[in-house]
């Protein structure tokens, strides 16, 4: 009963409603596909760059771990934090003992030295791992000198990618509303008389039996 009250009875209004639904549906489908493709592309690009940065950090850490130069390791992590635009960098021994860790709340926040009196569990094997939790991505790579002597981990924020996804959805919704309004105006100008004629013809066809 509720749907019948809302659904328009006039043929012209039915066509207008159908056209509006089609336009909105097309834009929403296009927005969904665009958001998915762009976010996947950005995530893949960011992941590739993050892996290269973490591998470079792991290679640079090897010398400091071999000679136990932890002050130099702290300076190295500070430089990598500013270069990479990451949120957290951690270097630990192969047994999981954290040797140095620096981080910040956001990309624009000042860095802070974090507690290094921690034990973490390193990845299995010698290839490292990539984990995504919420809006953060962490890349872990081994520090190798003949064997694995430690682990280097860099955490990045994915907030910019998530914000971009929402911007695409908002822009798509605005475009759908604008084009729906334009489509309705164009339809009213061009097809109003045609729709009226078709409606009269349809009415005549339905009542033809009553005239016999």
């Amino acid at each position: 009963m509720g749907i019948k009250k809302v659904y328009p009875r006039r043929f012209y209004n039915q066509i207008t409603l159908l056209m509006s639904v089609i336009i909105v549906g097309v834009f929403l489908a296009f927005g969904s596909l665009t958001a998915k493709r762009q976010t996947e592309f950005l995530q893949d690009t960011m992941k590739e760059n993050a892996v290269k940065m973490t591998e470079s950090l792991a290679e640079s850490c090897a010398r400091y771990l071999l000679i136990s130069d932890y002050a130099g390791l702290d300076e190295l992590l500070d430089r990598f934090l500013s270069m990479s635009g990451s949120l957290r960098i951690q270097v630990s021994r192969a047994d999981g003992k954290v040797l140095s860790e620096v981080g910040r709340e956001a990309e624009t926040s000042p860095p802070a030295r974090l507690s290094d009196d921690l034990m973490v569990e390193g990845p299995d094997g010698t290839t490292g791992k990539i984990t995504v939790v919420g809006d953060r991505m962490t890349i872990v790579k081994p520090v190798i000198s003949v064997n694995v002597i430690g682990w280097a981990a860099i955490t990045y924020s994915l907030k910019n990618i998530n914000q971009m996804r929402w911007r695409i959805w908002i822009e798509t919704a605005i475009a759908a509303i604008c084009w729906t309004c334009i489509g309705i105006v164009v339809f009213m100008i061009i097809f109003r008389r045609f729709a009226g004629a078709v409606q009269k013809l349809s009415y005549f066809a339905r009542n033809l039996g009553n005239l016999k």
Side-chain angles (χ1 to χ4, degrees), residues 203-212:
Y203 176 81
F204 175 77
R206 287 197 303 268
N207 293 275
L208 185 62
N210 299 328
L211 299 177
K212 293 182 180 180

Side-chain angles (χ1 to χ4, degrees), residues 58-88:
E59 292 177 1
S60 301
C61 288
R63 181 175 65 88
Y64 296 96
L65 268 64
L66 287 173
I67 63 176
S68 299
D69 182 6
Y70 301 134
L73 183 63
D74 290 342
E75 295 178 0
L76 177 68
L77 265 60
D78 289 337
R79 292 199 302 270
F80 264 86
L81 187 71
S82 61
M83 286 191 307
S84 62
S86 57
L87 296 180
R88 184 178 66 89

